Amino acid sequence: MKTAPAAAPAAAAPAGVEPPPAAAPRWWIWLAAWPVAAVFVLSNAATPLYTLWQHDIGFSRGTLTIVFASYIAGLIGSLLVAGVASDRVGRKPVLLPALALAAVACLVFATAFSVAALVVARLLSGIAVGAVVSAGMAAVTDVAGAARRRTAALVASSAMVLGAGLGPLLAGVLSENLPAPTATVFLVEIALLAAAFAVVLRMPVPRMVARPVARAAAAPARGAWIRLPRMPHGTGGRLLLGAAAFAPGITGTSFVLSLGPSLLSGLLGTTSRTLAGAMAFVMFLASTGVQFAVRRLRVRTILLAATASTAVSMIGLVGAVRSSSVALLVAAAVMAGAGQGMGQLGGLSLLNSAVPAGRLAEANAALNVSGYLPAGLLPVSAGYLSDAVGLTTGATTFGVVLAALAAAGGLVVLTGRRWAPEA
């Protein structure tokens, strides 16, 4: 592994601002991403287990998407405060409670015997993920230092999607090969979270990113602690471009996570939890791999590729449910993963290149709110539509709508040069 070049002497910090720390060793960038990966393992670990809970508890596909969407509700609620709090009080005071809350969610999952318990567990998971996606991904950038911000975007984004893919694969394999399938998975996840807790305790980030100063661009924004995340002046266009690609991508993967097991059951007549977990893993493996493949391209090219990949994935989804083709369904999932990965990388890269450290967590929160709102609403609508008119029609309608949204996002990116001309 090449050693990082010596950091240039830091410029004197304005009065009242804690100077940025010296760049940490390169290996710390990867280690700092572990809390992000560990919490995202939890975010999707329940996916292969839903068929078990449906059998044991008894609930419809519409109710299943409500359970899934309670995670989105918790995540968005968390994003309303976590980004601001992280920029004002520091990364660790937000990350440590989030990891503890994730462990509580694991315990609720492990002992769940009702829909209400599943909703509570998903809600707690969403709150923890919202805090980590704001503070954790900003912490990776802090550790990387100003000269390695694009590397930080790649590592943080990859950690997120790799964790999201490992969760269902781990859950599927463990639940089919070990006793107490709905408990063992989450006991293993608690151990992963404990390791992440230890990493955060040692993470070389400042106690506070910045203190209030006259240079408002570098300091955390003033105002309410609980609010819709705001962007620094002059960077809103970057958020719009990132959201245009990221929102359709993450909505596509959310659909596969929430109704993928039901689609597999309908197409294959199987409730194999390992197969459901493997499909989700392959989807997020594609999301991780494509980010490394395109990392040297211009950001605008990455965003356009993201919208195209999402649109193609939805065309494949429609073809899969119409032809009962499992191979086409898996291909659609892979393309959806690629769309999310590129949209996420492009969005984070745009923010990292222009947003000061003291506002970065809130900017990350804004990007994720823009993505997770449709990722919660559209799959829930598709779930209830599937209960009413059948899974084939419901999935087809969802695919057509999301393909159109992805195409619209591509047009926004094509015509948005004035918002980020150097992208």
Side-chain angles (χ1 to χ4, degrees):
M1 178 180 297
K2 296 181 180 178
T3 57
V17 178
E18 182 173 337
R26 186 176 294 272
W27 58 265
W28 250 114
I29 304 176
W30 296 92
L31 192 57
W34 171 244
V36 177
V39 171
F40 270 91
V41 168
L42 171 63
S43 71
N44 294 330
T47 297
L49 305 177
Y50 286 138
T51 53
L52 268 181
W53 282 314
Q54 277 187 294
H55 178 269
D56 294 341
I57 300 172
F59 50 85
S60 67
R61 283 189 291 267
T63 301
L64 171 58
T65 54
I66 288 292
V67 172
F68 181 84
S70 61
Y71 160 82
I72 306 289
L75 187 149
I76 291 176
S78 178
L79 290 172
L80 299 182
V81 64
V84 175
S86 174
D87 285 339
R88 291 184 180 180
V89 305
R91 312 307 186 203
K92 292 184 182 182
V94 174
L95 287 173
L96 294 174
L99 292 169
L101 193 63
V104 173
C106 288
L107 293 176
V108 178
F109 267 130
T111 57
F113 292 102
S114 67
V115 171
L118 294 177
V119 168
V120 169
R122 288 289 289 171
L123 186 68
L124 294 177
S125 301
I127 295 172
V129 169
V132 168
V133 83
S134 302
M137 300 179 89
V140 176
T141 302
D142 292 346
V143 169
R148 300 183 295 201
R149 279 193 154 208
R150 187 151 184 183
T151 298
L154 174 63
V155 172
S157 182
S158 298
M160 175 178 167
V161 294
L162 186 60
L166 284 173
L169 179 64
L170 185 69
V173 172
L174 292 180
S175 67
E176 289 197 330
N177 293 282
L178 294 176
T182 57
T184 304
V185 171
F186 297 104
L187 294 178
V188 172
E189 169 61 8
I190 287 175
L192 300 180
L193 292 169
F197 197 92
V199 168
V200 172
L201 286 175
R202 300 293 304 274
M203 192 181 294
V205 292
R207 290 187 300 276
M208 294 181 66
V209 177
R211 299 189 181 97
V213 292
R215 288 177 61 189
R222 299 176 184 273
W225 285 71
I226 302 176
R227 68 188 187 204
L228 286 174
R230 302 171 184 172
M231 296 292 294
H233 179 71
T235 60
R238 292 171 177 270
L239 174 64
L240 178 61
L241 291 181
F246 176 56
I250 199 168
T251 302
T253 56
S254 295
F255 177 84
V256 173
L257 288 169
S258 60
L259 289 180
S262 297
L263 287 171
L264 281 174
S265 177
L267 293 173
L268 271 183
T270 179
T271 57
S272 169
R273 297 185 293 278
T274 298
L275 182 58
M279 184 173 74
F281 174 74
V282 169
M283 177 174 71
F284 285 111
L285 186 64
S287 183
T288 304
V290 74
Q291 293 183 59
F292 285 90
V294 303
R295 69 187 186 278
R296 299 189 187 280
L297 300 179
R298 291 176 60 87
V299 174
R300 190 179 308 278
T301 302
I302 295 173
L303 294 174
L304 287 172
T307 58
S309 182
T310 301
V312 170
S313 77
M314 291 301 102
I315 295 171
L317 173 67
V318 172
V321 297
R322 290 291 175 180
S323 63
S324 296
S325 170
V326 176
L328 197 53
L329 177 62
V330 173
V334 169
M335 294 300 292
Q340 179 192 333
M342 289 187 287
Q344 184 172 291
L345 175 62
L348 287 174
S349 297
L350 282 175
L351 299 186
N352 274 8
S353 65
V355 178
R359 301 292 302 278
L360 188 56
E362 187 174 8
N364 287 343
L367 178 65
N368 281 279
V369 166
S370 71
Y372 278 104
L373 271 174
L377 294 175
L378 289 180
V380 168
S381 301
Y384 276 102
L385 182 63
S386 297
D387 283 339
V389 299
L391 188 57
T392 298
T393 302
T396 298
T397 304
F398 174 86
V400 170
V401 170
L402 190 58
L405 290 177
L411 289 176
V412 170
V413 175
L414 278 173
T415 59
R417 189 174 298 277
R418 62 187 179 276
W419 296 314
E422 74 281 15

